[in-house]
């Protein structure tokens, strides 16, 4: 079974530039998560999708961050314009949305995209 | 608001020995899930073990087990017979089980070093 795919793996941009990250979840996983992991901290949930609908985006800085999941499969997270404090690893994860609670709650993470804002 | 605290930024253990990583959390909910995730240097997070709050029995997965103390809001991870491959960042995480916000809350992590 293929895992969660993310691209690019690394990105370096200047502040005020725009950047986009892509995530392809495991086939059949209806729930998709985007996390921001700043160095030395645990992951912080930015947004959670169930199919193509948003379940939780309470911690997404909506003035500069946006995310979409058209067709309920892959997803894109965008930052426009980027700030220095956006430097972090952006993790995508997916999980099933049905079945036992263990199946629903087991998140599979991608390798992440390391963003450096100069 | 719920919080998850990992008070040990770094721990070391001798290969084949046992180590316990601490996690405490704060919540007013009675039904929730708790998790331990492992993040090796390659940065791909892997689920290690999970616990339902309503279950008193501590979860075990091979060499990994938890000590879940609901009243004390404590959820520690014990790794037995430590191996070099166990070296990683370990994150404790919480999620409420009832409907509403599905937000997972992670602690700041504990870096585990395994000494040969």
């Amino acid at each position: 079974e293929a895992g969660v795919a993310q691209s690019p793996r690394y990105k370096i941009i200047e502040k005020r530039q725009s950047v986009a990250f892509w995530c392809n979840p495991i086939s059949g996983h209806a729930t998709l998560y985007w996390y921001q992991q700043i160095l030395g901290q645990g992951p912080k949930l930015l947004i959670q999708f169930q199919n193509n609908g948003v379940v939780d985006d309470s911690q997404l800085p909506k003035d500069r961050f946006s995310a979409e999941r058209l067709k309920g499969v892959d997803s894109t997270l965008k930052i426009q314009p980027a700030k220095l404090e956006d430097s972090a690893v952006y993790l995508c994860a997916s999980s099933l949305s049905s079945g036992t609670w263990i199946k629903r709650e087991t998140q599979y993470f991608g390798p992440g995209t390391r963003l450096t804002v100069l | 608001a719920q919080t998850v605290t990992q008070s040990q930024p770094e721990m070391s253990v001798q290969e084949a020995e046992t180590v316990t990583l601490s996690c405490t959390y704060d919540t007013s909910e009675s039904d929730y899930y708790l998790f331990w995730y492992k993040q090796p240097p390659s940065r791909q997070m892997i689920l290690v073990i999970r616990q339902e709050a309503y279950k008193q029995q501590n979860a075990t997965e091979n060499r990994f087990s938890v000590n879940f103390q609901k009243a004390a809001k404590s959820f520690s991870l014990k790794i037995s017979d430590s191996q070099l491959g166990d070296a990683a960042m370990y994150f404790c995480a919480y999620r409420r089980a009832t409907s509403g916000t599905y937000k997972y809350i992670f602690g700041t992590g504990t870096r585990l070093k395994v000494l040969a």
Side-chain angles (χ1 to χ4, degrees):
Chain A
E1 167 179 89
V4 176
Q6 289 188 249
S7 68
R9 292 295 310 277
Y10 305 91
K11 189 74 177 179
I12 300 174
I13 61 173
E14 303 269 335
K15 61 182 178 182
R16 290 188 290 272
Q17 286 187 322
S18 301
V19 65
F21 313 126
W22 175 81
C23 172
N24 192 355
I26 292 174
S27 178
H29 282 195
T31 307
L32 185 146
Y33 315 78
W34 280 105
Y35 290 90
Q36 179 192 58
Q37 187 176 18
I38 293 173
L39 186 64
Q41 299 182 18
K44 181 180 82 171
L45 181 69
L46 293 176
I47 189 167
Q48 178 180 343
F49 291 96
Q50 178 93 353
N51 295 305
N52 59 351
V54 175
V55 173
D56 188 326
D57 63 355
S58 58
Q59 298 193 113
L60 186 73
K62 298 180 184 64
D63 57 334
R64 299 185 299 107
F65 286 65
S66 64
E68 60 182 12
R69 192 184 183 197
L70 301 176
K71 301 181 181 178
V73 181
D74 54 355
S75 176
T76 303
L77 177 69
K78 296 179 181 178
I79 308 175
Q80 180 180 15
K83 293 185 176 181
L84 297 176
E85 59 261 36
D86 298 332
S87 294
V89 175
Y90 290 84
L91 298 169
C92 179
S94 70
S95 66
L96 290 167
S97 61
S98 60
T100 64
W101 82 268
I102 288 177
K103 287 185 177 179
R104 294 196 312 272
E105 297 301 328
T106 299
Q107 295 184 67
Y108 295 85
F109 284 82
T113 296
R114 182 183 297 276
L115 173 67
T116 302
V117 182
L118 303 175
Chain B
Q2 294 89 3
T3 58
V4 175
T5 302
Q6 293 180 251
S7 58
Q8 306 155 316
E10 190 170 292
M11 293 281 286
S12 295
V13 62
Q14 216 49 49
E15 198 175 4
E17 297 291 308
T18 296
V19 65
T20 299
L21 308 184
S22 300
C23 172
T24 58
Y25 57 94
D26 187 27
T27 183
S28 57
E29 302 288 329
S30 59
D31 197 12
Y32 47 87
Y33 306 127
L34 295 165
F35 308 85
W36 278 98
Y37 278 89
K38 172 185 178 181
Q39 189 173 42
S42 66
R43 303 199 75 84
Q44 195 142 3
M45 301 262 287
I46 306 166
L47 178 65
V48 174
I49 199 165
R50 58 209 151 199
Q51 175 84 38
E52 296 167 276
Y54 75 85
K55 281 191 175 178
Q56 292 188 342
Q57 186 176 5
N58 290 323
T60 62
E61 289 285 345
N62 300 313
R63 297 182 295 107
F64 299 87
S65 62
V66 299
N67 184 3
F68 174 48
Q69 302 288 329
K70 191 172 184 178
K73 296 180 182 175
S74 170
F75 183 62
S76 60
L77 174 69
K78 185 171 82 171
I79 306 174
S80 303
D81 185 25
S82 296
Q83 301 174 359
L84 294 176
D86 295 333
M89 283 291 290
Y90 287 82
F91 292 96
C92 178
Y94 162 100
R95 179 173 112 56
R96 61 186 287 183
T98 53
S99 61
T101 178
Y102 292 86
K103 187 166 53 185
Y104 285 81
I105 300 170
F106 284 80
T108 52
T110 296
R111 181 176 301 281
L112 178 65
K113 295 185 176 181
V114 181
L115 308 174

